[in-house]
Amino acid sequence: MGAFVVVALSRGLFGTGERVGLGLSAGLGLYMVAAGAASFALLRTYPHATLGLCNIVTLARLVIVATLVGALLSNPGPSWAVFSLAAIGLVLDGVDGWLARKQNLTSSFGARFDVEVDAAFALVLTLHALVGGTAGFAVLFLGLPYYLFRGASLVAPWLSHPLPERFSRKAMCVVQIAVLIAIQLPFVASGLLDPVVVAVAVALAWSFARDILWLWRKNS
């Protein structure tokens, strides 16, 4: 079902043509791989008998990310279509966790699924801003930190240990995504939000550094 939605959104928002077809193929490929990995993790670790609306909403956010990947290859740069899709994705980000708590369906799988979709969302929006020329290279510091952190955990496994819940971490993620979405607005001049991007990148680095320090102290 999700794959059909990716196709419908891509065709409806970005039209047809060779480049759109290439982007659509890439977006569909990402969706199929990510959805397959999520299904595998679901079968192995999900503790509840029902999937719940919470995970369906997160899956819908994955559909949006996949569609934005297609747009990156076919229609890079700021546009109302990209902005609107991204804004919907941000709104849904506040819904899945609430639904999980409301339906008593919280799980480590759901939390991990949410984080992975958030990270992919940030990276794709970062690439849209960079390729479209609406932000400088500093914007990479909004899209790459999570993947650098995950890469470092392969060398230092203690970095993959559980972290305590922190509202500030969640708020930082919202600010990060919100700034990346604002860059997608067609009327925002190139480089206009670069000072904001730098400020958020510094705050994001501080948030990661605090978590790394906590993990080091906990596991040293």
Side-chain angles (χ1 to χ4, degrees):
M1 179 64 181
F4 290 107
V5 178
V6 173
V7 173
L9 282 174
S10 299
R11 295 299 191 193
L13 293 174
F14 306 111
T16 58
E18 185 177 344
R19 291 185 63 185
V20 174
L22 176 63
L24 177 56
S25 297
L28 276 175
L30 170 71
Y31 175 80
M32 297 303 290
V33 170
S39 298
F40 180 72
L42 178 77
L43 293 173
R44 289 185 59 203
T45 64
Y46 192 61
H48 306 293
T50 180
L51 184 62
L53 288 174
C54 50
N55 292 307
I56 293 175
V57 169
T58 308
L59 188 64
R61 291 173 52 229
L62 177 60
V63 167
I64 289 175
V65 172
T67 304
L68 290 174
V69 167
L72 177 64
L73 296 178
S74 58
N75 294 277
S79 72
W80 285 111
V82 170
F83 172 81
S84 299
L85 268 180
I88 292 171
L90 179 60
V91 171
L92 291 178
D93 191 21
V95 173
D96 50 8
W98 178 82
L99 283 171
R101 293 186 294 272
K102 186 77 172 177
Q103 298 180 308
N104 197 28
L105 292 175
T106 55
S107 67
S108 59
F109 163 79
R112 180 64 179 272
F113 190 21
D114 180 65
V115 168
E116 294 294 342
V117 172
D118 278 342
F121 191 26
L123 180 59
V124 172
L125 290 176
T126 293
L127 294 175
H128 266 282
L130 191 63
V131 173
T134 53
F137 281 97
V139 77
L140 286 172
F141 291 98
L142 297 187
L144 290 179
Y146 175 77
Y147 293 102
L148 293 175
F149 182 80
R150 288 292 304 277
S153 71
L154 298 176
V155 179
W158 52 269
L159 287 172
S160 61
H161 290 184
L163 285 161
E165 288 286 335
R166 282 200 182 106
F167 174 77
S168 60
R169 188 187 302 118
K170 296 178 180 178
M172 189 69 250
C173 179
V174 171
V175 172
Q176 171 194 11
I177 298 294
V179 170
L180 286 168
I181 292 174
I183 298 173
Q184 314 304 322
L185 283 165
F187 58 77
V188 174
S190 178
L192 179 65
L193 293 181
D194 278 358
V196 178
V197 168
V198 171
V200 174
V202 170
L204 188 62
W206 171 80
S207 179
F208 272 93
R210 185 175 65 167
D211 284 343
I212 290 170
L213 180 60
W214 186 92
L215 287 169
W216 179 75
R217 287 174 173 172
K218 181 75 173 177
N219 297 282
S220 60

